[in-house]
Amino acid sequence: MEERLQKVLANAGVASRRKCEELITAGKVTVNGEVVTELGVKADPTKDAITVSGKPIKKEAKVYIIFNKPKGVITSVSDPQGRSVVTDYLKEIKERLYPVGRLDYDSEGLLLMTNDGDLAHKLTHPSHHVPKTYHATVERVPHGNALEKLQKGIKLEDGMTAPAEVEYHDIDPEKKFATISITIHEGRNRQVRRMFEAINHPVTRLKRISFGGLQLGNLQRGKNRRLSAEEVSKLVDSVAGVAISTGAASTDTNED
């Protein structure tokens, strides 16, 4: 069955949908010996000979894992500066995996990784407000009315945030810091950090503990586990009605 070329590449585990689009427009992809640079071209991976940078694509088994990203690790498959990246921790997995969304360099916790480009694209699509829950340790203890501002939506430089679910998780007896549980349904750049800065309680540690119903649980830092068939099924069902128009989503946004 013919599908858009960028979807075919993503489903083959080449890269995220967005990166596959970049490979096509850069002239790195051929179909039956012809270089393709248009994003609207369709291909059938069962019939057409497709190459990326001269190498034929191979259909990989779909892999889905939860990775507990440590602080100080780049959410990428490579880094020109030679810094540690998430795939450094996944060398035992032979398939090429890519992160779904991002955690920034100073953040830690749950990161979904897969070679299922179609699912990754849907999970990061603007029409699917996937819930993400963090434990944010902040300076001092915010008053309840400050947290109410986050619950209702707070104005940032790029507009009002959507309502968030916020509650106290832990409070230092000397009131020097507090850990707040916050669930957001957006994916703006460094959003959680900017939300707490807006109420004058900067984040000193940020850990994602949940993504789209997946739970980090007691998974150790730097370790990973494969999703169960039930977890994969729930993820797929959660985005079953999501439209996937070309270029509408990006898996490259720093979501915290």
Side-chain angles (χ1 to χ4, degrees):
M1 182 175 120
E2 287 194 338
E3 295 180 306
R4 287 182 179 271
L5 186 55
Q6 57 266 40
K7 182 177 179 180
V8 172
L9 298 179
N11 286 343
V14 171
S16 69
R17 181 83 67 90
R18 182 72 169 270
K19 292 297 184 184
C20 288
E21 291 174 356
E22 293 175 3
L23 289 170
I24 293 169
T25 56
K28 303 287 188 181
V29 181
T30 69
V31 177
N32 298 324
E34 298 291 330
V35 175
V36 175
T37 57
E38 298 292 331
L39 295 180
V41 171
K42 293 186 177 182
D44 184 342
T46 65
K47 298 178 181 178
D48 297 316
I50 303 169
T51 70
V52 178
S53 298
K55 298 180 180 179
I57 66 170
K58 293 185 289 186
K59 194 163 180 94
E60 294 183 321
K62 294 292 188 293
V63 176
Y64 311 84
I65 70 162
I66 286 175
F67 173 58
N68 187 350
K69 185 190 95 65
K71 179 179 178 180
V73 176
I74 304 293
T75 304
S76 179
V77 297
S78 63
D79 181 64
Q81 300 180 37
R83 294 171 295 181
S84 180
V85 297
V86 293
T87 48
D88 291 339
Y89 292 80
L90 308 174
K91 295 188 183 299
E92 79 282 5
I93 299 175
K94 68 179 189 302
E95 292 85 2
R96 296 169 292 181
L97 303 185
Y98 300 89
V100 179
R102 286 178 179 263
L103 286 174
D104 75 13
Y105 183 79
D106 292 321
S107 299
E108 58 189 289
L110 193 158
L111 186 66
L112 174 63
M113 299 192 66
T114 183
N115 57 355
D116 187 339
D118 189 44
L119 178 62
H121 188 70
K122 289 179 178 179
L123 285 169
T124 53
H125 194 279
S127 66
H128 181 61
H129 306 291
V130 57
K132 297 173 280 282
T133 301
Y134 300 81
H135 282 167
T137 301
V138 302
E139 295 180 4
R140 306 178 310 282
V141 180
H143 291 298
N145 58 356
L147 296 187
E148 273 186 30
K149 294 178 181 178
L150 304 185
Q151 291 173 325
K152 294 177 180 178
I154 193 164
K155 187 174 182 180
L156 303 178
E157 61 269 24
D158 52 355
M160 292 291 294
T161 64
E165 300 161 38
V166 186
E167 63 181 8
Y168 295 105
H169 177 72
D170 188 28
I171 296 177
D172 171 46
E174 297 182 3
K175 309 293 186 184
K176 293 182 179 179
F177 66 86
T179 300
I180 310 297
S181 175
I182 178 169
T183 300
I184 62 173
H185 298 79
E186 302 171 279
R188 302 193 204 179
N189 186 44
R190 298 175 67 85
Q191 181 176 338
V192 173
R193 294 179 185 276
R194 292 191 291 129
M195 289 173 72
F196 280 102
E197 286 171 3
I199 61 169
N200 298 312
H201 289 274
V203 172
T204 59
R205 183 187 180 192
L206 190 61
K207 180 178 183 179
R208 184 156 68 191
I209 62 167
S210 176
F211 177 90
L214 300 174
Q215 303 296 322
L216 183 63
N218 59 3
L219 184 64
Q220 293 182 353
R221 186 180 295 127
K223 300 297 183 181
N224 69 81
R225 72 167 178 85
R226 297 199 179 218
L227 269 60
S228 67
E230 182 180 5
E231 287 175 319
V232 174
S233 179
K234 285 182 178 179
L235 273 182
V236 171
D237 290 345
S238 73
V239 295
V242 174
I244 51 172
S245 57
T246 299
S250 169
T251 56
D252 297 328
T253 302
N254 284 345
E255 298 176 335
D256 46 36

